[in-house]
Every structure is written in structure tokens, then in C-alpha cells.
Amino acid sequence: MTVEGYFHTRNLKRYALRLLLFALLSEVPFDLMYGGTWFYPVHQNVIWTLLLGLLGVHLMETVRKKQKLWVSLPVCAAVAAAGALLGTLGMVDYYGAGVLTVFAFYIFRGRKWWCLLGQVLTLY
């Protein structure tokens, strides 16, 4: 839904700020549940994963619109690698694989059968 939200929002900045706000607000309850303390830096909630995915999708879409295919493909690959790395280093929920899942939904968006096949394979 993060990818669909990206394409249907009127204001990306407000959408990203709402995700950031809810990531911050839900972090303490998540830490209490997951680590038993109000501050547990070893694992972050899933909204951080969605926020990283949203920012990566925005970068990929911006480059795709402005550049030729031979420029946008390596940039998108670099954004995907950076998103996976940030997700793993930031210890967000589902780590880098969660961020890559958001990117997979972006890549296969609008392609009916490829979408289903790509999403099933990615989730597997």
C-alpha cells in the first residue's frame, strides 16, 4: 500500500511526514513489546521500513521520469542496494528484505500477471 499511496497522494512531503510521525509515536510501544524496555535500539518498527521504501520509490521514480533507461536502470539498482543496506544497518522490521519488498511492488506495479508472479516470488 505504500507504493499505491505514493502514486495517489497529493502531497508526498505530508505523506512522508505522517509516516515519520507514526514511526516515532509507535516506536516506544514497539520497544516495550519487543525488548521489554522503552528504548530498544536493536530493532525498529515496520513503519520505518515503509518510510525507507517510500523514499526509495520517490528517488527511483524521479530518476525514471527525468533520465533515459540506460541511466535510470543503474541508478535504480543503486537505490535498491542502498535501501537494503540502510534497512539492514538501521535494523528496521524485516531488515533490508522488507525495503526490497516495497521496491518489488513498485517495479511490478501495473503489470497484471508479471505483478502477481513477481510479488509471489519476492515474498517467497
Side-chain angles (χ1 to χ4, degrees), residues 23-75:
L24 290 170
L25 287 174
S26 62
E27 190 59 35
V28 171
F30 180 84
D31 289 348
L32 286 169
M33 182 216 47
Y34 200 86
T37 180
W38 65 274
F39 181 68
Y40 190 68
V42 180
H43 200 82
Q44 313 314 318
N45 67 60
V46 73
I47 302 174
W48 294 107
T49 307
L50 300 176
L51 181 60
L52 279 175
L54 176 73
L55 297 175
V57 165
H58 176 63
L59 284 173
M60 286 190 258
E61 188 66 12
T62 302
V63 169
R64 188 189 69 79
K65 284 181 179 177
K66 292 183 179 181
Q67 300 294 329
K68 296 192 184 314
L69 183 64
W70 64 273
V71 174
S72 64
L73 283 178
V75 170

Side-chain angles (χ1 to χ4, degrees), residues 85-124:
L85 182 66
L86 285 172
T88 301
L89 293 176
M91 293 183 243
V92 298
D93 213 6
Y94 303 105
Y95 300 98
V99 179
L100 289 176
T101 302
V102 174
F103 295 159
F105 277 81
Y106 164 69
I107 291 167
F108 292 111
R109 181 182 182 270
R111 297 172 178 91
K112 256 188 161 178
W113 287 104
W114 284 108
C115 182
L116 178 63
L117 179 63
Q119 291 168 354
V120 167
L121 289 175
T122 301
L123 292 173
Y124 176 73

Side-chain angles (χ1 to χ4, degrees), residues 4-20:
E4 289 301 318
Y6 173 80
F7 285 102
H8 289 94
T9 188
R10 285 185 232 159
N11 190 330
L12 179 65
K13 185 177 178 180
R14 283 184 29 204
Y15 182 38
L17 286 174
R18 275 194 306 270
L19 277 176
L20 178 63

